[in-house]
Amino acid sequence: MSTQGTQRGRLAIVGAGVIGMSCAWRAAETGWSVELIDPAPGSGSSWVAGGMLAPVTEAWPGEEELLDLGADSLQGWPAFAGALAEASGREPGLRTEGTVVVAAAAGDRAELDDLADYLAKLDRAVDRLTGRELRKLEPAIGPDVRGGISVPGDLAVDNRLLLAALRAACERAGVGFVEATVDRVEDGVRLTDGRRVEADVVLIAAGAHSAALHPLLAGRVRPVKGEILRLRQRPGALPPPSRTVRAVVDGRPVYAVPRDDGGLVIGATQYETGFDTEPTVGGVRDLLRDAERVLPGIAEYTLAEVAAGLRPGTPDNLPLIGELADGVLVATGHGRNGMLLAPVTVATVLALLNSEPVPTTAKVADPGRPRGKG
Ligand SMILES: Cc1cc2nc3c(=O)[nH]c(=O)nc-3n(C[C@H](O)[C@H](O)[C@H](O)COP(=O)(O)OP(=O)(O)OC[C@H]3O[C@@H](n4cnc5c(N)ncnc54)[C@H](O)[C@@H]3O)c2cc1C
C-alpha cells in the first residue's frame, strides 16, 4: 500500500551526503515532513568518492558480515537507481559493465590468487583471466599486467550525478533544506547559531563528523582520509576502460572507474590523519605511477582534479544504522562503502521510522552492538 501523502511526523536529518539525502527523499515520499540540515549539502565524502558498488572485490577475510550487507545492498541498486530517476527526472549514473581486478608484479599475482581462493570458498564465483584475455576485454590494460579476475556483478555509479539526482528528488518530495551547522543533537537539534530545530525524530547522518554530535557516538566514528584524482581523455589518447579496473601494484591497491563522459576516476589513498582534506604530493604521485603501470594510455589524459575526502570509519568497519536513543536514529560509519550501502541503509532507516522489521543483513549494523566492536 502506498503511504505517499500520509502525515507521519517531523523528521530532522543532520547531514546531506548520499546517506542523509537518500533517507530524506524516501522518508518524505512515505509521508514524513523532513528538514535536512547541512551548511553545504553534497560537499562531503560523497562528492569526492570513486563510486564503486563493489562488495565482492572489496571483500576481506574476517569481514564476511560486511560482504553480506554489501551484496544485499548491491542487489537493491538497480531498483534504487530506477526509482530515483523517476522521482528526480535525472539519470543517477549507474554503470553495469562490471569490474576486473588485475595484478602487475609476481607478488601481486599471489595476492590476487588469495582473493580469488577466498571468494571461491565463500561460493562467490569469479573468472580467472590471463593478461591476453584481459586485454581482449579491456584494450586499455597495458603489457605489464599478467593476469586477473573478472567480477561482472560489481558495478559503479557516478557519485556526482547521483548527488544531483538525490537533491532534485528531495526537492520534488518537499524536503526542506536548512543551510546551517548543527552543534549537537540534544532535545531536538541545536544549531551553532543558537537556533533549534524541533522534530519528532532526528537522524544523524553527518559522515565523518557524526561523532561530535551525540555523546553515544563519541569515539565510534573517525575520519579516514582518502585522496582521489579525476582524469579526462584528450583527443587522440587511448579510450579509457569500460569496466572498473582495480589493481594491486607492488602491493598497493589502485582503481580506475570510468564515467560516461570520458572521465576516469583514479583512487584512492588511505591515511589516519584526522580532519585533514589537503591532498599531498606523495599521494598523487603514488596514484598516478600505479595507475599508469596498469593503464599506460592515461599519461596522455588531462589531470582535471585532485581531491581528498574523509571516509567515516568505525572500529569494526561496519556502519552504525539504527536507533541510538529515544527519538534519535543514526546512519553513518559507512567507511569506504557509503555509495554501495545507500539502498540497504535507506531500507533500514525507513523500516525503523515506519515501525517495520529491518532487513536481516542490517542487524549487524545496530548501534547497540557491544562498544568494543563498533
Ligand atoms: C577517496 C574516497 C573514495 C571513495 N570511494 C568510494 C567508492 O568507490 N564506493 C563507495 O561505496 N564509497 C566510497 N567512498 C566512501 C563514501 O564516500 C562514504 O562512505 C559516503 O560518501 C558517506 O556518505 P555520508 O552521507 O555518510 O557522508 P558525507 O558525504 O561526508 O556527508 C556528510 C554531510 O554532513 C554534513 N555535516 C557534517 N557536519 C555537520 C554538522 N555539524 N551539521 C550539519 N551538517 C554537517 C557535511 O557538510 C556533509 O555534507 C569513498 C570515500 C573517499 C574519501
Side-chain angles (χ1 to χ4, degrees):
M1 186 185 78
S2 167
T3 50
Q4 185 135 21
T6 311
Q7 268 313 314
R8 288 182 183 266
R10 291 168 308 168
L11 170 65
I13 300 182
V14 186
V18 67
I19 299 300
M21 281 206 275
S22 300
C23 293
W25 157 50
R26 294 289 294 129
E29 279 194 341
T30 59
W32 286 83
S33 167
V34 184
E35 291 210 280
L36 187 46
I37 309 158
D38 193 318
S43 67
S45 183
S46 304
W47 178 254
V48 172
M52 292 178 295
L53 309 175
V56 171
T57 51
E58 281 274 337
W60 199 252
E63 293 191 350
E64 288 74 24
E65 290 169 328
L66 184 59
L67 172 59
D68 289 343
L69 184 66
D72 190 16
S73 199
L74 179 61
Q75 248 188 356
W77 248 100
F80 179 78
L84 180 56
E86 197 172 320
S88 66
R90 287 165 164 270
E91 273 310 315
L94 181 65
R95 285 188 64 127
T96 55
E97 288 85 346
T99 300
V100 291
V101 191
V102 307
D108 300 328
R109 188 75 193 260
E111 198 170 310
L112 197 65
D113 286 342
D114 288 348
L115 174 66
D117 290 345
Y118 168 63
L119 291 171
K121 259 192 233 141
L122 296 177
D123 280 337
R124 307 255 168 200
V126 295
D127 293 334
R128 294 181 197 237
L129 301 173
T130 63
R132 186 185 294 236
E133 287 166 334
L134 277 166
R135 275 181 284 280
K136 216 167 147 191
L137 277 185
E138 293 294 352
I141 292 176
D144 275 6
V145 170
R146 298 298 168 81
I149 58 178
S150 166
V151 184
D154 272 8
L155 311 181
V157 68
D158 183 327
N159 55 315
R160 294 181 179 178
L161 292 182
L162 174 66
L163 288 171
L166 283 171
R167 172 124 202 183
C170 282
E171 284 167 356
R172 283 190 179 184
V175 171
F177 281 78
V178 180
E179 298 214 350
T181 304
V182 172
D183 180 39
R184 62 191 189 281
V185 175
E186 189 189 318
D187 295 332
V189 178
R190 291 172 189 271
L191 306 181
T192 49
D193 60 14
R195 287 181 296 155
R196 281 183 50 162
V197 176
E198 303 295 338
D200 301 306
V201 180
V202 181
L203 171 66
I204 299 174
H209 296 269
S210 300
L213 295 175
H214 195 283
L216 290 174
L217 289 175
R220 301 183 76 187
V221 187
R222 68 180 197 286
V224 180
K225 180 178 176 182
E227 290 153 318
I228 195 161
L229 315 174
R230 284 176 159 76
L231 314 187
R232 211 173 28 247
Q233 184 196 3
R234 296 198 315 151
L238 259 184
S242 58
R243 294 163 182 76
T244 296
V245 177
R246 307 185 68 143
V248 192
V249 179
D250 295 332
R252 286 179 303 271
V254 66
Y255 58 75
V257 192
R259 297 291 192 240
D260 287 347
D261 62 1
L264 191 63
V265 181
I266 305 288
T269 58
Q270 185 160 323
Y271 317 97
E272 304 265 351
T273 51
F275 290 93
D276 163 24
T277 51
E278 286 191 348
T280 64
V281 172
V284 174
R285 176 204 57 214
D286 286 353
L287 289 173
L288 284 176
R289 182 193 51 214
D290 294 343
E292 193 185 350
R293 181 109 173 257
V294 178
L295 302 168
I298 65 167
E300 304 297 328
Y301 284 33
T302 303
L303 176 55
E305 184 184 316
V306 175
L310 303 172
R311 305 173 184 91
T314 61
D316 62 2
N317 292 338
L318 284 166
L320 298 159
I321 314 167
E323 190 174 21
L324 193 63
D326 204 21
V328 182
L329 302 180
V330 63
T332 190
H334 295 80
R336 54 185 200 264
N337 291 307
M339 302 283 142
L340 168 66
L341 296 176
V344 77
T345 302
V346 176
T348 307
V349 168
L350 278 198
L352 292 165
L353 286 173
N354 299 336
S355 305
E356 289 158 8
V358 301
T360 312
T361 52
K363 289 188 178 150
V364 295
D366 185 341
R369 66 188 182 266
R371 289 289 287 264
K373 284 195 82 191

